[in-house]
Amino acid sequence: MSLIVTLGRAATLALLLGTGPALAALAPSDAQHQAAVEVAESLRYGHYADVSLDDAWSRQAFDRYLDLLDGQRAYLLRRDVTAFEDLATTLDDAILDGDLSRPFALYRRYHERAEARLEWLVARVDAGLDFRFDGDQRMLLDREDTPWPASESALDELWTKRLKNAALTLTISDQEPEAIEETLRERYEGQLTRLRQTNAEDVFGLIMAAVTGSIDPHSEYLSPRQSESFDIQMRLSLEGIGALLQADGEYVKVASLVPGGPAERAGVLKPADRIVGVGQEGEEIVNVVGMRLDDVVDMIRGPKGSVVRLDVVPAQAVDMTRSKVVEITRDTVNLEDQAAQGEIIEVERADGVHRLGVIEIPTFYVDFDAWQAGEEDYRSTTRDVAKEIERLVDEGAEGIVLDLRDNGGGALQEANSLIGLFIDRGPTVQVRDARGRISLYGDTESGTLYDGPLAVLVNRLSASASEILAGAIQDYGRGLVVGSDTFGKGTVQTLNELSHGQLKLTRAKFYRISGESTQHRGVTPDVRFPSLVDPETIGESSLDNALAWDQVREVQYRRYGEPERYLETLRERHRQRADAHPNFHYLERQAKLAERLREQHTSVSLNREQRQREAEAQEAEQLALENQRREALGLEPLDEWIDARDEEDSDEAQPVDRAQVVEAAEILLDYARLDDGLRFAEYD
């Protein structure tokens, strides 16, 4: 078993398509029967939560299975679901006994419906599309909570709208009618081909995804094929773009970027972006809407040095027609690319220029091979950060900011030892197992490397080990935490071998030394920055069946300071600067606008003029905000909102990310001077 303390593998795939022979051959094997029993036993006796595989659980797992099969209620009819309603009370027995005949039968029913529907779509396209994009029709975007369709005619009506919407999207993208028909024919024929290749392993994986996902989002069955891919990811030797992807309905969404990876270095992908097409250098881009996730991943992978072209819809876009083609050169992710890096930021005040150090920590890493071999000079986060601290202090840094934004975790031992640079021995995190036993981890070495002013900068993608460090610094009163609420992953998984495949199982939970869990809620900053990341789509609280937040008893530890005494003043000074700073003003207004647009955008018009008016009006608001920011910064305005992200990483654009780093340094300087002043007054 190996301890996994990371943001974790992307969420379980919603499988539509697969690889195998005829539908009649979709039956469970003896190996799958045995694996199902092993998964059930592992969940009952090994999972952190008190898992009871009973009738109540059966209902939950059955509903999740239906969601994975047909979450948008677009293939199965009400009578299909009713015919398998017995699984709502017997799925527990089926898994415990390894009798998968009924779950497989439900999949075959879904398969029949999906195959017939795709044949219907191909026939409609072959007959010629003559849609008139006028009238007042609208299409609901999310049908997850709608009733199951009662008849074939109801599904015909739904799919006519879907087909019309697909054609309209391509029409707005300036494709000719013949090209539109060819694109849609290839899309549906491709989906049909992959559907007909579904094998029993695909079906078994889907059933196990429903079983494990009904308990928590990080417990997951890995087939032999997925196990091999997962092992490659954990060795960081995968040649690709360095992005974790997950299924989002018919689309593939970017869950996170690997620090130091090609995608992050290129700056053309962001979390929650949707990938709608993939192409190789010099070849046509293939539409991947409706394609299964692992097939899309295989298309994106490739040899080091080769180029992949992605058709991407930005996270902030409210219409799927607003896509843009980007290119990324594939590469491996090396330890050197993830190393901590420091810099000096100069802050001007009335009494002169002050120098603050900022250390960016992309992940918590350690060269395990060199460490285990006994090499004295092995690389690790703690060692690299220590060197950066010494260098920055020598260069006159009056305080240190640890930048943990987008840091999804890594080696727990590194989080512990890194905290030890700032405290003189003590606990750092509590780990509670399924039996309620609590293990205490901490810094055991006496002395500190740095005892000066300290701040930790976090965001929604700061997860797991990052949250342990930020929470400990906050609990000890050792420094400030600034930024936005963190991810909220406070669970620990182990990887267990099965007779067929592997099981990633949640076995423990993290708790801060104050007793509060980091699970679900994450770490709340002392000074909060606005965030453009939607917590409804990114973060632990956005995942189905995430374990709840709770508390255990706090442990004894010494406090190094009382930052809470200054928070009111620090927040007010930050507010004054933010109100006057174009980037922070933009962040707040853009976050509010994005939230309003998400709430309003529940359906799309099938009228071309209305669709374009709505999209243009929404983008006009976004563009106006961006250009207000640029005007205040003395930059040239943009003609198109979609171009805004291309400008973010240029030296002259003064990107919002950079503004957060500078403001963190400003806040730290305020804190240092307030704390010094109070200590001097108390000493007098």
Side-chain angles (χ1 to χ4, degrees):
M1 294 190 300
S2 61
L3 184 65
I4 301 167
V5 190
T6 62
L7 179 58
R9 189 176 178 274
T12 302
L13 321 185
L15 177 66
L16 284 178
L17 314 166
T19 57
L23 185 59
L26 292 179
S29 66
D30 290 342
Q32 290 164 353
H33 285 304
Q34 178 59 33
V37 173
E38 293 171 10
V39 168
E41 292 302 298
S42 296
L43 290 173
R44 292 173 70 194
Y45 301 114
H47 196 279
Y48 174 83
D50 184 14
V51 176
S52 297
L53 301 187
D54 52 18
D55 287 357
W57 173 83
S58 288
R59 164 54 67 183
Q60 189 174 358
F62 175 57
D63 288 342
R64 183 158 183 80
Y65 187 32
L66 289 172
D67 284 341
L68 292 177
L69 283 174
D70 189 11
Q72 292 299 304
R73 311 293 196 259
Y75 297 99
L76 293 170
L77 296 170
R78 184 191 305 161
R79 64 175 179 267
D80 296 326
V81 177
T82 301
F84 288 90
E85 189 67 29
D86 58 290
L87 284 172
T89 56
T90 63
L91 190 53
D92 57 328
D93 301 318
I95 302 301
L96 288 167
D97 296 339
D99 181 3
L100 304 176
S101 55
R102 288 293 285 166
F104 264 76
L106 174 53
Y107 177 83
R108 289 194 294 271
R109 177 69 59 86
Y110 155 77
H111 192 290
E112 292 169 356
R113 294 293 188 192
E115 185 174 28
R117 182 53 57 185
L118 288 168
E119 290 173 342
W120 181 89
L121 285 165
V122 172
R124 285 289 304 270
V125 174
D126 286 343
L129 300 179
D130 58 352
F131 291 124
R132 292 171 56 90
F133 301 116
D134 52 17
D136 57 1
Q137 277 189 321
R138 299 190 71 86
M139 188 187 77
L140 188 66
L141 289 174
D142 187 359
R143 290 174 42 83
E144 186 178 358
D145 297 323
T146 59
W148 292 99
S151 63
E152 289 279 3
S153 60
L155 279 179
D156 288 347
E157 182 180 350
L158 166 64
W159 278 99
T160 297
K161 282 187 176 182
R162 284 192 156 198
L163 182 59
K164 186 175 182 179
N165 178 62
L168 176 55
T169 299
L170 296 172
T171 299
I172 294 175
S173 300
D174 295 327
Q175 285 201 25
E176 296 297 325
E178 296 80 7
I180 290 172
E181 291 184 0
E182 182 61 26
T183 296
L184 294 177
R185 182 181 296 106
E186 288 179 359
R187 177 186 302 181
Y188 300 131
E189 286 180 345
Q191 292 180 13
L192 186 58
T193 297
R194 290 186 294 273
L195 180 68
R196 287 170 174 165
Q197 293 173 342
T198 301
N199 62 30
E201 195 64 62
D202 295 324
V203 182
F204 179 69
L206 187 60
I207 296 169
M208 290 300 101
V211 168
T212 58
S214 65
I215 307 298
D216 86 285
H218 301 292
S219 292
E220 182 179 11
Y221 170 77
L222 303 177
S223 69
R225 175 189 175 188
Q226 290 171 325
S227 297
E228 179 182 358
S229 178
F230 185 70
D231 289 342
I232 293 173
Q233 289 181 34
M234 294 306 295
R235 288 196 302 269
L236 287 179
S237 61
L238 177 66
E239 293 184 352
I241 65 171
L244 291 178
L245 309 177
Q246 69 182 68
D248 183 21
E250 291 185 315
Y251 299 98
V252 170
K253 181 174 71 176
V254 178
S256 63
L257 301 179
V258 176
E264 186 195 52
R265 294 199 303 267
V268 294
L269 277 186
K270 303 288 184 183
D273 284 355
R274 285 153 292 183
I275 297 173
V276 297
V278 179
Q280 312 308 318
E281 188 174 17
E283 299 179 7
E284 290 292 320
I285 289 180
V286 177
N287 188 285
V288 297
V289 176
M291 191 178 293
R292 60 182 283 170
L293 179 54
D294 48 1
D295 286 337
V296 177
V297 170
D298 285 343
M299 292 173 65
I300 294 175
R301 287 177 183 167
K304 178 180 178 179
S306 62
V307 174
V308 63
R309 302 169 66 223
L310 305 177
D311 194 8
V312 177
V313 179
Q316 299 301 319
V318 293
D319 193 293
M320 296 305 294
T321 63
R322 268 42 185 178
S323 67
K324 190 165 189 174
V325 175
V326 302
E327 293 187 352
I328 301 174
T329 301
R330 299 178 177 100
D331 201 353
T332 54
V333 181
N334 301 313
L335 191 61
E336 192 68 34
D337 298 323
Q338 300 189 329
Q341 297 182 7
E343 64 168 320
I344 290 287
I345 288 182
E346 295 186 342
V347 175
E348 293 188 16
R349 293 290 172 90
D351 61 345
V353 175
H354 297 265
R355 296 167 67 80
L356 284 304
V358 176
I359 303 175
E360 181 183 2
I361 306 174
T363 187
F364 291 93
Y365 55 87
V366 61
D367 188 341
F368 281 109
D369 292 338
W371 175 58
Q372 291 176 341
E375 296 181 17
E376 293 185 2
D377 207 23
Y378 66 88
R379 293 292 300 274
S380 75
T381 301
T382 303
R383 290 180 167 217
D384 288 346
V385 170
K387 292 176 183 177
E388 290 299 297
I389 290 174
E390 291 172 341
R391 179 179 68 82
L392 294 172
V393 170
D394 287 343
E395 293 178 12
E398 301 173 44
I400 298 292
V401 177
L402 302 179
D403 186 356
L404 298 182
R405 292 175 303 167
D406 299 347
N407 184 321
L412 177 60
Q413 69 183 64
E414 287 303 307
N416 288 326
S417 59
L418 186 56
I419 295 168
L421 299 180
F422 310 105
I423 65 170
D424 184 10
R425 289 191 297 192
T428 56
V429 64
Q430 304 181 73
V431 181
R432 183 181 186 272
D433 67 16
R435 297 184 180 180
R437 298 174 300 192
I438 294 178
S439 300
L440 199 58
Y441 294 82
D443 170 43
T444 59
E445 296 187 12
S446 61
T448 61
L449 175 71
Y450 177 77
D451 60 3
L454 181 68
V456 181
L457 176 59
V458 295
N459 66 3
R460 187 62 171 173
L461 291 171
S462 303
S464 197
S466 291
E467 296 173 287
I468 291 172
L469 187 147
I473 295 300
Q474 196 174 57
D475 290 338
Y476 273 111
R478 181 59 189 83
L480 296 168
V481 177
V482 300
S484 53
D485 290 347
T486 60
F487 191 93
K489 184 182 185 297
T491 56
V492 184
Q493 285 71 42
T494 59
L495 199 59
N496 305 329
E497 293 291 337
L498 303 174
S499 60
H500 183 75
Q502 295 175 306
L503 180 64
K504 184 154 68 81
L505 190 66
T506 297
R507 299 293 300 269
K509 204 171 181 181
F510 289 132
Y511 294 87
R512 293 163 59 160
I513 56 176
S514 61
E516 296 184 2
S517 174
T518 56
Q519 170 64 16
H520 208 282
R521 293 185 185 178
V523 176
T524 302
D526 299 308
V527 180
R528 190 187 297 270
F529 293 171
S531 173
L532 296 182
V533 176
D534 180 11
E536 296 297 318
T537 59
I538 298 291
E540 189 77 7
S541 59
S542 71
L543 302 177
D544 292 336
N545 302 315
L547 297 185
W549 177 91
D550 63 347
Q551 291 176 288
V552 296
R553 184 179 301 175
E554 70 173 287
V555 298
Q556 289 188 339
Y557 59 95
R558 61 171 287 197
R559 292 270 294 175
Y560 286 80
E562 297 178 290
E564 60 274 9
R565 300 176 67 171
Y566 316 109
L567 291 185
E568 186 175 344
T569 300
L570 292 171
R571 289 166 182 164
E572 177 55 31
R573 291 184 182 180
H574 161 65
R575 170 55 51 204
Q576 292 173 4
R577 284 191 298 268
D579 286 344
H581 197 297
N583 278 326
F584 273 89
H585 191 58
Y586 165 83
L587 259 181
E588 290 187 350
R589 295 185 61 186
Q590 178 67 6
K592 292 178 181 177
L593 173 61
E595 182 179 3
R596 177 169 61 81
L597 292 180
R598 284 192 298 268
E599 291 174 350
Q600 294 174 349
H601 196 63
T602 58
S603 65
V604 291
S605 174
L606 299 181
N607 180 301
R608 178 173 181 171
E609 292 184 0
Q610 179 66 19
R611 177 78 159 268
Q612 288 182 302
R613 280 196 301 268
E614 291 176 0
E616 289 168 0
Q618 291 163 349
E619 288 190 4
E621 288 189 83
Q622 294 170 315
L623 180 62
L625 280 182
E626 172 62 23
N627 280 337
Q628 287 173 18
R629 179 184 81 89
R630 298 178 67 82
E631 181 181 357
L633 292 169
L635 302 173
E636 289 294 321
L638 298 176
D639 295 327
E640 297 286 342
W641 172 79
I642 197 75
D643 296 328
R645 282 210 324 205
D646 291 344
E647 298 289 322
E648 279 185 6
D649 296 315
S650 66
D651 292 337
E652 67 170 18
Q654 301 184 29
V656 174
D657 283 352
R658 184 64 179 175
Q660 293 181 337
V661 175
V662 174
E663 178 58 19
E666 293 267 15
I667 293 169
L668 180 58
L669 180 59
D670 284 343
Y671 171 56
R673 302 180 78 178
L674 285 168
D675 196 35
D676 281 347
L678 182 61
R679 278 191 269 177
F680 181 76
E682 289 178 343
Y683 180 78
D684 280 350

